[in-house]
Coordinates of all heavy atoms in Angstrom, one line a residue:
E296 N -7.5 7.6 0.1 CA -8.4 7.5 1.3 C -7.6 8.0 2.5 O -6.4 7.8 2.6 CB -8.8 6.0 1.5 CG -9.8 5.6 0.6 CD -10.1 4.1 0.6 OE1 -9.7 3.5 1.6 OE2 -10.7 3.6 -0.3
Y297 N -8.3 8.6 3.5 CA -7.6 9.0 4.7 C -7.6 7.9 5.7 O -8.5 7.0 5.7 CB -8.2 10.3 5.2 CG -9.7 10.2 5.6 CD1 -10.1 9.7 6.8 CD2 -10.6 10.8 4.7 CE1 -11.5 9.6 7.1 CE2 -12.0 10.8 5.1 CZ -12.4 10.2 6.2 OH -13.7 10.1 6.5
I298 N -6.6 8.0 6.6 CA -6.6 7.1 7.8 C -6.6 8.1 9.0 O -5.8 9.0 9.0 CB -5.3 6.3 7.9 CG1 -4.9 5.6 6.6 CG2 -5.4 5.3 9.1 CD1 -3.6 4.8 6.6
V299 N -7.5 7.9 9.9 CA -7.6 8.7 11.1 C -7.5 7.8 12.3 O -8.2 6.8 12.4 CB -8.8 9.5 11.2 CG1 -8.8 10.4 12.5 CG2 -8.9 10.5 10.0
E300 N -6.6 8.1 13.2 CA -6.5 7.3 14.4 C -7.5 7.7 15.4 O -7.3 8.6 16.2 CB -5.1 7.4 15.1 CG -4.0 7.1 14.1 CD -3.3 5.7 14.5 OE1 -3.7 5.1 15.5 OE2 -2.5 5.3 13.7
D301 N -8.7 7.1 15.3 CA -9.9 7.5 16.1 C -9.6 7.3 17.6 O -9.9 8.2 18.4 CB -11.1 6.7 15.8 CG -11.9 7.3 14.6 OD1 -11.7 8.5 14.5 OD2 -12.6 6.6 13.9
E302 N -9.2 6.1 17.9 CA -9.2 5.7 19.4 C -8.1 6.4 20.1 O -8.0 6.2 21.3 CB -9.4 4.2 19.6 CG -8.5 3.2 19.0 CD -8.0 3.3 17.6 OE1 -8.6 4.0 16.7 OE2 -7.1 2.5 17.3
L303 N -7.2 7.1 19.4 CA -6.1 7.7 20.1 C -6.5 8.7 21.1 O -7.2 9.7 20.8 CB -5.2 8.3 19.1 CG -3.7 7.8 19.2 CD1 -3.0 8.0 17.9 CD2 -3.0 8.4 20.3
A304 N -6.1 8.5 22.4 CA -6.5 9.5 23.4 C -5.8 10.8 23.2 O -4.7 10.8 22.7 CB -6.2 8.9 24.7
T305 N -6.4 11.8 23.7 CA -5.7 13.1 23.8 C -4.7 13.1 24.9 O -5.1 12.8 26.0 CB -6.7 14.2 24.0 OG1 -7.6 14.2 22.9 CG2 -6.1 15.6 24.0
I306 N -3.5 13.5 24.6 CA -2.4 13.4 25.7 C -2.5 14.7 26.5 O -2.5 15.8 25.9 CB -1.0 13.4 25.0 CG1 -1.0 12.4 23.9 CG2 0.0 13.1 26.1 CD1 -0.9 11.0 24.1
P307 N -2.6 14.6 27.8 CA -2.7 15.9 28.6 C -1.4 16.6 28.8 O -0.3 15.9 28.8 CB -3.2 15.3 30.0 CG -2.7 13.9 30.0 CD -2.7 13.4 28.6
G308 N -1.5 17.9 28.9 CA -0.3 18.6 29.2 C -0.1 18.8 30.7 O -0.8 18.1 31.5
I309 N 0.9 19.6 31.1 CA 1.2 19.6 32.5 C 0.1 20.2 33.4 O 0.0 20.1 34.6 CB 2.5 20.4 32.8 CG1 2.4 21.8 32.3 CG2 3.7 19.7 32.2 CD1 3.6 22.7 32.8
D310 N -0.9 20.9 32.7 CA -2.0 21.4 33.4 C -3.3 20.6 33.3 O -4.4 20.9 33.8 CB -2.4 22.9 32.9 CG -2.6 22.9 31.4 OD1 -2.5 21.8 30.8 OD2 -2.9 23.9 30.9
G311 N -3.2 19.5 32.6 CA -4.3 18.5 32.4 C -5.1 18.8 31.2 O -5.9 18.0 30.8
E312 N -5.0 20.0 30.6 CA -5.6 20.3 29.3 C -4.9 19.6 28.2 O -3.8 19.0 28.4 CB -5.6 21.8 29.0 CG -6.3 22.7 30.0 CD -7.8 22.4 30.1 OE1 -8.4 22.2 29.1 OE2 -8.3 22.2 31.2
K313 N -5.5 19.6 27.0 CA -4.8 18.9 25.8 C -3.3 19.5 25.7 O -3.2 20.7 25.7 CB -5.5 19.2 24.5 CG -4.8 18.7 23.3 CD -5.6 19.2 22.0 CE -5.0 18.6 20.8 NZ -4.0 19.2 20.0
M314 N -2.4 18.7 25.6 CA -1.0 19.2 25.4 C -0.9 19.8 24.1 O -1.2 19.2 23.0 CB 0.0 18.0 25.5 CG 1.5 18.6 25.5 SD 2.8 17.3 25.7 CE 2.6 16.8 27.4
S315 N -0.5 21.1 24.1 CA -0.4 21.8 22.8 C 0.6 23.0 23.0 O 0.5 23.7 24.0 CB -1.8 22.3 22.4 OG -1.7 23.3 21.3
K316 N 1.3 23.2 21.9 CA 2.2 24.4 21.9 C 1.4 25.7 22.2 O 1.9 26.5 23.0 CB 2.8 24.6 20.5 CG 4.0 23.9 20.2 CD 4.6 24.3 18.8 CE 3.6 24.1 17.7 NZ 3.3 22.7 17.3
S317 N 0.2 25.8 21.7 CA -0.5 27.0 21.9 C -1.0 27.2 23.3 O -1.3 28.3 23.7 CB -1.7 27.1 20.9 OG -1.9 25.9 20.3
Y318 N -1.0 26.2 24.1 CA -1.4 26.3 25.5 C -0.2 26.5 26.5 O -0.3 26.6 27.7 CB -2.2 25.2 26.0 CG -3.5 25.0 25.2 CD1 -4.0 23.7 25.1 CD2 -4.1 26.0 24.5 CE1 -5.2 23.5 24.3 CE2 -5.3 25.8 23.8 CZ -5.8 24.5 23.6 OH -6.9 24.3 22.9
G319 N 1.0 26.4 25.9 CA 2.2 26.5 26.7 C 2.3 25.4 27.8 O 2.9 25.7 28.9
N320 N 1.7 24.3 27.6 CA 1.7 23.2 28.6 C 2.4 21.9 28.2 O 2.0 20.9 28.7 CB 0.2 23.0 29.0 CG -0.5 22.4 27.8 OD1 0.0 22.2 26.7 ND2 -1.8 22.0 28.0
T321 N 3.3 22.1 27.3 CA 3.9 20.9 26.7 C 5.1 20.4 27.6 O 5.7 21.1 28.4 CB 4.5 21.1 25.3 OG1 5.5 22.1 25.4 CG2 3.4 21.7 24.4
I322 N 5.5 19.1 27.3 CA 6.8 18.6 27.7 C 7.5 18.3 26.4 O 7.1 17.4 25.6 CB 6.6 17.3 28.6 CG1 5.8 17.7 29.8 CG2 8.0 16.8 29.0 CD1 5.6 16.5 30.8
E323 N 8.6 19.0 26.1 CA 9.2 18.8 24.8 C 10.0 17.5 24.8 O 10.4 17.0 25.9 CB 10.2 20.0 24.6 CG 9.5 21.3 24.2 CD 10.4 22.5 24.2 OE1 11.6 22.3 24.3 OE2 9.9 23.6 24.2
L324 N 10.2 17.0 23.6 CA 10.9 15.7 23.5 C 12.4 15.8 23.9 O 12.9 14.9 24.6 CB 10.8 15.1 22.1 CG 9.4 14.6 21.7 CD1 9.5 14.0 20.3 CD2 9.0 13.5 22.6
F325 N 13.0 16.8 23.4 CA 14.5 16.8 23.5 C 14.9 17.9 24.5 O 15.3 19.0 24.1 CB 15.2 17.0 22.2 CG 15.0 15.8 21.3 CD1 14.1 15.9 20.2 CD2 15.6 14.6 21.6 CE1 13.9 14.7 19.4 CE2 15.4 13.5 20.8 CZ 14.6 13.6 19.7
M326 N 14.7 17.6 25.8 CA 15.2 18.6 26.8 C 16.3 17.9 27.5 O 16.5 16.7 27.6 CB 14.1 18.8 27.8 CG 12.9 19.5 27.3 SD 11.6 19.6 28.6 CE 12.0 21.2 29.3
D327 N 17.2 18.7 28.2 CA 18.2 18.2 29.0 C 17.5 17.6 30.2 O 16.4 17.9 30.6 CB 19.2 19.2 29.4 CG 20.1 19.6 28.2 OD1 20.3 18.7 27.3 OD2 20.7 20.7 28.1
E328 N 18.3 16.8 30.9 CA 17.7 16.0 32.0 C 17.1 16.9 33.1 O 16.0 16.7 33.6 CB 18.7 15.0 32.6 CG 18.1 13.9 33.3 CD 19.0 12.7 33.6 OE1 20.2 12.8 33.2 OE2 18.6 11.7 34.2
K329 N 17.9 17.9 33.5 CA 17.4 18.7 34.6 C 16.2 19.5 34.3 O 15.2 19.5 35.1 CB 18.6 19.7 35.1 CG 19.4 19.1 36.2 CD 20.2 20.2 36.9 CE 20.9 19.6 38.1 NZ 22.1 20.5 38.4
P330 N 16.2 20.3 33.2 CA 15.0 21.0 32.8 C 13.8 20.0 32.6 O 12.6 20.4 32.9 CB 15.3 21.7 31.5 CG 16.8 21.6 31.4 CD 17.3 20.6 32.3
L331 N 14.1 18.8 32.2 CA 13.0 17.8 32.0 C 12.4 17.5 33.4 O 11.1 17.5 33.5 CB 13.5 16.6 31.3 CG 12.5 15.4 31.2 CD1 11.3 15.8 30.3 CD2 13.2 14.2 30.5
Q332 N 13.2 17.3 34.4 CA 12.7 17.0 35.7 C 11.9 18.2 36.2 O 10.8 18.0 36.8 CB 13.9 16.7 36.7 CG 13.4 16.3 38.1 CD 12.6 15.0 38.0 OE1 13.1 13.9 37.8 NE2 11.3 15.1 38.3
K333 N 12.4 19.4 36.0 CA 11.7 20.6 36.4 C 10.3 20.7 35.8 O 9.4 21.1 36.5 CB 12.5 21.9 36.0 CG 13.5 22.3 37.1 CD 14.0 23.7 36.8 CE 14.9 24.2 37.8 NZ 15.7 25.4 37.4
R334 N 10.3 20.4 34.5 CA 9.0 20.4 33.8 C 8.1 19.4 34.4 O 6.9 19.7 34.6 CB 9.3 20.2 32.3 CG 8.2 20.6 31.4 CD 8.1 22.1 31.3 NE 7.0 22.4 30.4 CZ 6.3 23.5 30.6 NH1 6.6 24.4 31.5 NH2 5.3 23.8 29.7
C335 N 8.6 18.2 34.6 CA 7.7 17.1 35.2 C 7.2 17.6 36.6 O 6.1 17.3 37.0 CB 8.4 15.8 35.3 SG 8.8 15.1 33.7
N336 N 8.1 18.3 37.3 CA 7.6 18.7 38.7 C 6.5 19.7 38.6 O 5.8 19.9 39.6 CB 8.8 19.4 39.4 CG 9.9 18.3 39.7 OD1 9.7 17.1 39.7 ND2 11.1 18.8 40.1

Side-chain angles (χ1 to χ4, degrees):
E296 284 171 16
Y297 57 80
I298 313 177
V299 180
E300 301 257 354
D301 271 335
E302 56 313 350
L303 235 159
T305 301
I306 317 281
I309 60 170
D310 56 358
E312 298 298 314
K313 175 187 187 268
M314 186 179 288
S315 169
K316 274 188 301 293
S317 10
Y318 303 150
N320 64 356
T321 66
I322 300 178
E323 286 171 10
L324 285 183
F325 294 108
M326 292 177 95
D327 285 336
E328 201 165 0
K329 267 197 177 157
L331 177 60
Q332 184 64 67
K333 271 196 175 161
R334 200 68 185 149
C335 291
N336 292 344

